[in-house]
Every structure is written in structure tokens, then in C-alpha cells.
Amino acid sequence: MRAAVIVFPGSNCDRDVAVSLRNCHEVKVEMVWHGERVLPHVDLIAVPGGFSYGDYLRAGAMAAHSPIMDAVVAAASKGVAVLGICNGFQVLTERGLLPGTLMRNKYLKFLCKVVNLKVETKDSLFTSEFALKDVIAMPIAHNEGNYFANADTVAKLEAEDRVVFRYCTKDGVIPEGGSPNGSVESIAGILDSSRRVLGMMPHPERAADPAHISTDGQQLFASLVRHLS
Amino acid sequence: MTEISSDVAAEMGLTNDEFERVHQLLGRPPNFTELSVFSAMWSEHCSYKSSRRWLKTLPTTAPWVICGPGENAGVVDIGDRQALVFKMESHNHPSYIEPYQGAATGVGGILRDVFTMGARPFASLNSLRFGDPKHPRTRYLLEGVIAGIGGYGNCIGVPTVAGECTFDARYNGNILVNAMTVGIADSTKIFYAKASGVASPVVYVGSKTGRDGIHGATMASASFDAESGEKRPTVQVGDPFTEKLLLEACLELMATDAITGIQDMGAAGLTSSAIEMAAKGEGGIELDLDEVPCRENGMRPHELMLSESQERMLMVLRPGAEDQARKVFDKWELNFSVIGRVTNTGRMLLRSKGKVIADVPVGPLAEGLDYQRPWSEPPAPPTLPAMPKAAPIEMLCSLLASPDLCSRKWIWEQYDHTVMADTVVGPGADAAVVRIHGTQKAVAISADCTPRYCEADPNQGGAQAVAECWRNLTAVGALPLAITDCLNFGNPEKALVMGQFVRAIEGMSEACSALDFPVVSGNVSFYNETEETNIPPTPQIGGIGLFEDWRHAVTLALSAKCEHLLLLGERSFHLGQSLYSRHLLGMDAGFPPPVNLKVERRNGDLVRALITSGIVTACHDISDGGLLTAVAEMCLAGQRGVDLDLGHEASELFGEDQGRYLVSTTSKSLSQILREARTAKVPAKIIGVVGGDTLTLNSTDAISVSELTRIHEHWFASYTATD
């Protein structure tokens, strides 16, 4: 399996996601500078977390129009898998690869903590190694993770089984209005209609080795390796 | 042209004598630009004129120290050709005037100090002192400072992993914001602030220069008055995004051999970076101010020289490396300009529009001044009155609910403490533990000081700050290596404040020597005074320790592996300056608990050995709030109860005697711990059985851990709640 990690000015989780991918067996990772117009031949494109362009204007808004993003859109349309984490998720919604938007957190503060997530679908390249309705733990660290889409869009996401992760309690309960950042329907991650583009606010690369608070993120990378190798 | 008189000099913070000295050194009256340069370099902030003779007495060497004080940061060898680079610095005055930007640029400044030396920063922490929560400005300052630290650190992507935050009315007019960063470098490729090689190009990189922060160093060298709010323009504005680019660009260029010397532009901006580099190198420097990238038109020479605009660096390149270096900075879309060259004339020569506009001697500017300020012996604290009786669990709850001891989760959730994916133990522990990237090694980090002890007895308080830091690193299992200090005091022109400083340094020195824990970097912040009120002496200590293997680290959290709880160290009897007495009496009274450095070392060395051998399942040092508070904190961290068998004496339950630890272990290892403690001559006492969901004291008094949690986490949320 070959993966590209896009590096924008201000990306700061690019190294972390590359390390997680390299720690998986036989994944070759290449870092790709945002100013490039051509992507190497890869099976996965990771759009990492951070503060691309300082998140000035709006989180992810400027990175969405970096030269490399045209190549990312083209690759996605050909079925190359795309994983957007945190700022990467914001970039993908800004670019229109995923529906909805990520607003400022409900309490207007940056929030860094470990959250519990419920795995809502196994039917994707990213989650096949999880058990359905698994409760997993991963860190979040963001200021704009409050996912919002209009009611029709949310209904469509639900109907098409495209909600991948929801914030929940450690017992797997999804409390009404109980997401840490205010996300509609406690949504933490969604797929595009091809099911090959995932955007998620939690950081699987920070839950991927024994020194981390959990190793649940490993299954996400293992799912990718299984499908893309 | 402004008439240069002693009045102008006084406005810049120079005394009559200092002004005369400038005149003598130049052999003529200084012009405005020259005087500005002198005023900045001779400010307390840049010259350490009141503190330098005392700083020289601190222990600064050890076989593992690569670079001690005097550079941008201290450097410590950790083997395998790796070095840790770290420093703590104050940004107190700006943070009081403009809390968000003041704190943010404090973080930015300390990050630059670390990566200037060729290190990649991988952990930050901070120590914050605010005024009385009831003071009308406190909440504004608290929220602004926390948001500023997070805003900068989160964006640049360096985890903020630990810290301290306390409240005391004595900081009402002068809050303290001390920021520390630790970085990792190749121990054979450390970069120094040295302008070597005559005729080598001097290069400016980073942001453009604007009019922000002019005379910031001078502002930080004076006390506050009622009009301090008007000093807002002297506060710099930070841009963490640019700093991230600067960090990556510098590290990219440092991987080549293009740079021979580098210094960030911090306090006193271009002036101090140029002077310091020249003084450490060939002795002279020439700059053409027309080449300095400017943010606005019509900037005058003294503005260019004194601006504290952020995210800028001064580098000296190997001749001929200009194009190679320019390419890197072009890629990162940062300014790059050759602004001068290295000379050996012993002078700093400034040109503008083809004319020499300043010609000043480097030596006297870099050496600064050395004042022997008069000092007087600090007075003894008020005697500790007889203590009224109080129910232990009620007192415990009142302590844990108070701003002194409540959970700081509200703060650290606003800091990204997991970015870089190497955080092993994050905020809320005795010390944070961060893995050295790509290795099994890890560093433990802690920031400590107990100002009320320092106020009551500066010598013992200074020693305690060092000892507590050493103890916190030990409590997670690390081998303490070295410290950085941030010495926050009041007005040094007052004999009492100077006396506090002298005695605190003396106590710190004793502890550093006894614990093999040298000072490798630091800074001094004087004039934390507002309308005659001085802050309590606050010699903040930031320490680092090493693990050969991060898996040896333990935390304070009680877990399923914990069965027995033991107290290691002497019995407690001392209530002077305890939080218990503060809460019962409404005042800080008595002498602080004495620090016995021999006992400290003996106990700590045992605890570390026990942890390393793998038989300790949780460990916590006993500090603020005493033994019962420490037990409760272990329960809270692990959400697990303890059945305690202790006496009823307040001094035993709440005394803050030093050099003590709580450790938990399994039934299987209990006898081994007792045996090893006996061999090491460390008193050891089994004080409880771990389990259940209740903290029970002497089978009669009990409280559930869930209730303790609610109490513990309430204060910050309610204090900062919007109506």
C-alpha cells in the first residue's frame, strides 16, 4: 500500500499520521507539499490535522484551494481513498468533497480530551476491522469541530449509512445534545457517497501505539491496509 | 532632531549616572538612536544589572550539561547523540496589560529560544499566578492568558503537557506568566548566538518589522501604576502560523552547514540580537537599516532597532551560502534579507540612507551594568496561632473545592497536549512524561514553586521549589537532570525585595548542589510591583528528568493493580504555611516546613529505584494540602477508593512536611518495598488498602470518590460560567 500525506503550511499532524501509517506493515508513505500539482501514484491520501494557513479566514478554507487539492479531488473521483483528520476534515468540507461544515465548538473554547466514539458502520475501507457499535477511545483537539449540516443532508447521511463515528459515553450511550463540541446528532466522522472519503475530527494517529491513551486507532489503519494492500 | 538630555534618557528608563556613562563611553553626546540602544541593553530585563552577581553563585555544571546559562537555552546530554534544550521565561508585564497577546507571545518567545539552538520543540508547560478570584480583573486575565497560551501552542503544534496555576491577592496588580519549552537536538549540532567569521553575511529572516513592542524591555523593567493600561502599544502581537513556518525553515536550513550563528529577536529586538551575537563572536557588526524588511513606511532607526515584532531571527551565514539559505525561506514564504556583515571592530555600526547613524561599543552594551543593590534580611512570618478543631473529611472537601486545590482540567482541556503523538503522561500528574520521538526514551517535566513558603522564608522557599521539582520528577520514576529558573520578584530597588532575592538564590543553590540538579538556563523578572505592593517572591523552577524506557513511568492514578498504600518518609507534624492553616485561619502563618536535603535525596533515590524495578503501581508526592489531600488526589486520578488507617491529628493528615511520597503496590511486592525501605533507612508505613469507590478514614469517616470528583471539578466551571 502506498500513501501520500499532504503538507500545508501550518499542518502539524503530518508527521504523526505518517508515523502511524509507517508503523503498519508495508505501507510506503510520501509527504507531498501543498504547492505540488501532481500526486504520486498512491492508494490513500491523508489530509492531516493542524492549522493550515493559520486557519486564518476560516479553518481549512485556504488550504482547500491549494494547488495540490485539484489533484486530490481528481484522485478521489477515480476512487483513491482520502482520509481527512481534524483540520483535514475541515479542508475536505471546505473543498466540497464532504457535505456540511465544522463550526466553532459549542462552548467557544479549544477542546483537547479523550472521547468515546461509537462505530456506526463497518461498511467502509476505514472501519471494517472494528466491530459494529464498538465503543472506542481517541483524543480530540480542536476549536472548530462542531459538525453542522442541514436536516435534509443529515437525513441523507443517516439513510445512506454514511455516519461513521458518533460521540458517546463510555457505555455507548449517545446522549441528546451531549457531544463535546455541539455536533449535530453527535456526528464525529462521515463518508462521502462513494464511501472512499472519510472526514473525522478525532485523531486515530494519537491512539495508535502502546504509549497512547488507547490503541483503537490502529484498527482504522489496519482496515485501510487490508483493503488497499 | 530631539534634543538629547538626561530628561530624554530618563523617559527611556536610564538614570542620570547611566546617561553620564553613555556620554563617557562615546566621548560625545549620544544621538537618539544610540541612546535608545543603550536604554534597552541596560534595562534590568536585558542586563540583569541587579541580579547578575547573585546568579553567578548558582550551581550550573554537571558532567551531562553541554551548555549552561548565557545562551538562548540550556542544553543537556541524554546519550545516543541526543540533547535536550530547554528554558523557562517570564512574560508577566505584557500579559497583565494584554492577556491574550502577552501570554501568546510568551509562548512564541520561548519556543524560538529553543529552536534557535537547533532543537525541535516537543513539549511546553507554564506556570501562572493570578490575583484573588474575587478581584474584578482576575477572570478576564485568566481567560485571556489561557486562551493565548492555547492559541499559540496549539497552532504551532507543540503539546502543552504540564503547568501550575494558583491564585493570591498579592498578584492582583502583577500576574505571572512563565512559559517553558523543551526541545530535542543532535548533541553535536547545537547552534549558538555567535557572529563569527569577519565579513560573513548577517541575515534577517521571518516576519517584517513593525512598530509593536517598542520599548517592551524597558516597560518590563519598571513597576506598574494606575496608568499601566496605556502601555498596551508596548505589547507585541503574535502570529503562531508564521512561527510554525519559521521553525520549519530554520530546522531545514540547520540540517545543512549554511548557518554559523543564530539568535532570535526577543526583548529589545534587533538591538539585543545584534549586540549579543557580536559580543560572543568577532566583536563587531555592521547593519544597513534600509535592508530591514518593514511592515510600515517611515519607520525611524530607533523604531527598527527596538521593535519587538515577533517571529524574527538574525543569522550569520557561511560566506557564499546566501542563495542556498534564501531558497529555503522562499519556500516557506518568509522574508529573507542580508542586512549586514560581521566585523572585528568592537563596534556596532548602523547605516541608513548611506550615512552612519549610530556607532556604539559592543562590549559595554553586552556586558551591561552590575549593581550591588542594598538588601535587608526578610522578616520572620507571623506566628502560627492555635488551630481550631475541624472534621478531617469536611476540611478535605473544602480544600479540594477551593481555587487552591481544585482540578485544573478546565485549563488543560484548552491546550493540545497530545499533538506530536508522544505524550505518555499528560497534565494533572506529578510530572508530564513525553517520549523522545522514535526511541524508547522519555523525558519527565515539571514546573514548581510555592510562593507562600518563599514569602515566609525565602531561603527555605527557594530550596523547596527546587526540591519539589526534583521530587515530582522522581515521583513518576525519572532521573532528574537539570533545571531552568524564572525568578519573579518585586522592585529590586527595595532592600526587602532584594533580601528575598538573595536568600531565595541561596536556598536554591543549596538544593541544586545537594540534589545534583544544576541550573542551565533562566531569566529574572523584577519590578513585579504595583503601587507599592510587591508580589510574593516566586522563584519558579522548571525541571527535566530522563527515562531510559518510557514504560517505567508511573502516575498517581490508583488502578486495579494497586492493593496497598504506603507512606514513605518521615511522619508529619508541621502545619506552618499549610493550605490547611490558610483555610482554617484565613491567613498564611508560621514557618514553612523545613527542607532536609539529605533526607530528600535519600527518600527520592529509594522511590525512583522502587519504581524502576517495577514494583510500584502508583506514586504521588505529598505537597500542598498534605497527606490526606495527596491520597484523595490518587483516588480522583484513578476513580478508585482507599480505606485509610491513620491518626486523627490535623498535622498528620494535612501537614506539608517535605520529602515524602505515597506509593501503592501489590500484596506480592509489599514485603520487598518494606525491606528495601529498611535498608535505605527510609521510614515506611502501610496506611491503607486500595479498592472500592469510597475514601474511608479510620473506618468511621467516608466520602465517595464520585462526590469528591464533583467537588474537585466544580470551581473552574462555575467561576468561568457565562450567566
Side-chain angles (χ1 to χ4, degrees), chain A residues 6-68:
Chain A
I6 310 295
V7 184
F8 300 103
S11 292
N12 63 30
C13 306
D14 43 333
R15 183 190 80 176
D16 305 350
V17 72
V19 167
S20 290
L21 285 165
R22 286 191 182 117
N23 284 345
C24 298
H25 199 51
E26 288 181 1
V27 178
K28 287 204 175 59
V29 182
E30 220 170 309
M31 311 304 278
V32 178
W33 183 239
H34 77 115
E36 301 289 334
R37 293 185 179 275
V38 181
L39 274 166
H41 177 74
V42 292
D43 310 295
L44 171 75
I45 301 164
V47 188
F51 287 67
S52 55
Y53 291 95
D55 275 355
Y56 295 135
L57 182 58
R58 222 172 33 245
M62 285 195 269
H65 299 285
S66 265
I68 194 65

Side-chain angles (χ1 to χ4, degrees), chain A residues 48 56 62 68 93 105 109 112 115 122 125 143 202 207:
Chain A
Y56 295 135
M62 285 195 269
I68 194 65
T93 59
N105 293 346
K109 287 193 168 24
C112 177
V115 295
K122 263 176 73 77
L125 306 169
N143 205 15

Side-chain angles (χ1 to χ4, degrees), chain B residues 203-263:
Chain B
V203 173
Y204 170 117
V205 297
S207 290
K208 291 187 165 73
T209 298
R211 286 194 171 94
D212 53 332
I214 292 172
H215 285 299
T218 308
M219 175 270 285
S221 305
S223 301
F224 279 161
D225 54 30
E227 273 82 50
S228 293
E230 291 171 15
K231 294 184 176 169
R232 198 177 282 247
T234 60
V235 179
Q236 315 85 325
V237 178
D239 175 8
F241 171 59
T242 301
E243 178 118 321
K244 169 72 174 165
L245 304 183
L246 189 61
L247 160 69
E248 298 301 337
C250 286
L251 293 183
E252 192 173 320
L253 189 58
M254 282 165 166
T256 73
D257 63 350
I259 302 175
T260 60
I262 180 165
Q263 163 83 25

Side-chain angles (χ1 to χ4, degrees), chain A residues 9-13 15-16 19 33 51-54 56 109-113 139 141 205-206 209-212, chain B residues 143 154-155 157 239 241 244-245 331-332 410 413-424 435 437 550:
Chain A
S11 292
N12 63 30
C13 306
R15 183 190 80 176
D16 305 350
V19 167
W33 183 239
F51 287 67
S52 55
Y53 291 95
Y56 295 135
K109 287 193 168 24
F110 189 94
L111 189 59
C112 177
K113 64 189 289 195
E205 79 280 17
R206 301 185 195 181
D209 92 34
H212 295 158
Chain B
E143 298 203 28
N154 299 346
C155 179
D239 175 8
F241 171 59
K244 169 72 174 165
L245 304 183
K331 171 188 162 191
W332 292 97
W410 179 88
E413 282 189 348
Q414 295 183 57
Y415 301 151
D416 190 339
H417 47 266
T418 50
V419 65
M420 296 183 92
D422 282 312
T423 304
V424 178
R435 184 172 52 184
H437 189 68
W550 63 267

Side-chain angles (χ1 to χ4, degrees), chain A:
Chain A
M1 171 180 159
R2 296 181 48 147
V5 176
I6 310 295
V7 184
F8 300 103
S11 292
N12 63 30
C13 306
D14 43 333
R15 183 190 80 176
D16 305 350
V17 72
V19 167
S20 290
L21 285 165
R22 286 191 182 117
N23 284 345
C24 298
H25 199 51
E26 288 181 1
V27 178
K28 287 204 175 59
V29 182
E30 220 170 309
M31 311 304 278
V32 178
W33 183 239
H34 77 115
E36 301 289 334
R37 293 185 179 275
V38 181
L39 274 166
H41 177 74
V42 292
D43 310 295
L44 171 75
I45 301 164
V47 188
F51 287 67
S52 55
Y53 291 95
D55 275 355
Y56 295 135
L57 182 58
R58 222 172 33 245
M62 285 195 269
H65 299 285
S66 265
I68 194 65
M69 285 308 293
D70 292 338
V72 172
V73 171
S77 72
K78 289 186 193 136
V80 175
V82 181
L83 168 63
I85 302 167
C86 198
N87 193 226
F89 187 11
Q90 295 160 345
V91 172
L92 297 182
T93 59
E94 285 288 341
R95 184 60 199 236
L97 279 171
L98 289 168
T101 191
L102 292 143
M103 304 191 300
R104 195 81 194 271
N105 293 346
K106 178 171 58 174
Y107 297 111
L108 306 180
K109 287 193 168 24
F110 189 94
L111 189 59
C112 177
K113 64 189 289 195
V114 177
V115 295
N116 295 296
L117 300 171
K118 196 167 202 172
V119 179
E120 294 283 52
T121 181
K122 263 176 73 77
D123 180 16
S124 83
L125 306 169
F126 308 91
T127 54
S128 62
E129 296 297 297
F130 291 105
L132 189 64
K133 305 295 173 191
D134 244 4
V135 176
I136 59 174
M138 282 181 198
I140 54 169
H142 57 244
N143 205 15
E144 288 95 3
N146 181 356
Y147 183 74
F148 178 80
N150 62 34
D152 290 348
T153 306
V154 173
K156 193 164 182 242
L157 287 172
E158 307 263 12
E160 295 175 0
D161 190 29
R162 286 162 54 192
V163 175
V164 180
F165 301 114
R166 274 186 232 270
Y167 303 103
C168 67
T169 67
K170 65 177 189 301
D171 308 315
V173 178
I174 298 164
E176 185 91 10
S179 74
N181 48 28
S183 282
V184 60
E185 300 296 335
S186 293
I187 289 172
I190 55 166
L191 291 167
D192 78 336
S193 56
S194 78
R195 308 190 80 77
R196 297 181 76 85
V197 179
L198 168 68
M200 62 189 291
M201 288 315 293
H203 287 275
E205 79 280 17
R206 301 185 195 181
D209 92 34
H212 295 158
I213 197 82
S214 97
T215 53
D216 292 337
Q218 280 177 349
Q219 278 149 289
L220 186 144
F221 297 110
S223 302
L224 285 166
V225 170
R226 182 163 163 219
H227 291 278
L228 300 176
S229 289

